[in-house]
Amino acid sequence: FWERVSLFFDIKQITNDWQGENYSLRYRGLGLGISGYYPLDPQWNLYGSFGVVPMNIWAAGNDIGDGTGSALEFGTLYRVSEHTNINLSIKNQSQTYEFSNGDKQTHNIGGLLIGVTHRFPL
């Protein structure tokens, strides 16, 4: 549909098991996102993505709450050679949970990412 933009679906499941206890929480959801890139020249690209996942929270087979997860990333990619790239980006992930007992939780993870990708030719 768009040359440099794509839509994607996200299926997420997180399970937290308590060690030494017979208790676990499961967070499940189906989300939607968008990603894209913009070439500045043959070696440099800008890119970004954003996604949101509404989730249900389950424990012992019971629905005990709802939540939302999201991720946002912006970065740049430098093409060193035909098979090697270096990228630098800023990323943030957030989860917000509301439990049926009135408790609320928010988890945020973010930072600067530096990466090297090398594709080995076949």
Side-chain angles (χ1 to χ4, degrees):
F1 185 71
W2 297 302
E3 184 178 351
R4 296 184 182 119
V5 177
S6 64
L7 299 176
F8 60 88
F9 290 101
D10 185 18
I11 298 171
K12 188 168 199 160
Q13 178 170 312
I14 303 168
T15 302
N16 295 329
D17 294 320
W18 271 249
Q19 190 172 10
E21 301 287 330
N22 188 21
Y23 187 75
S24 67
L25 288 177
R26 294 186 196 276
Y27 306 83
R28 298 178 189 163
L30 177 63
L32 181 66
I34 187 168
S35 65
Y37 74 97
Y38 183 78
L40 298 173
D41 63 34
Q43 290 180 294
W44 287 95
N45 282 317
L46 297 176
Y47 65 90
S49 67
F50 174 72
V52 176
V53 180
M55 293 181 279
N56 294 99
I57 307 167
W58 297 82
N62 298 311
D63 186 344
I64 63 164
D66 297 305
T68 303
S70 64
L72 176 65
E73 181 175 12
F74 292 105
T76 186
L77 179 136
Y78 178 72
R79 185 175 174 167
V80 177
S81 69
E82 182 181 355
H83 299 287
T84 305
N85 299 322
I86 297 173
N87 64 299
L88 175 68
S89 68
I90 296 173
K91 186 171 187 173
N92 183 56
Q93 293 181 331
S94 177
Q95 290 88 33
T96 303
Y97 306 121
E98 293 189 25
F99 296 91
S100 55
N101 66 1
D103 288 344
K104 294 182 182 182
Q105 293 181 5
T106 300
H107 305 269
N108 289 302
I109 302 169
L112 183 65
L113 301 171
I114 300 170
V116 176
T117 305
H118 181 78
R119 295 176 307 281
F120 295 95
L122 298 175

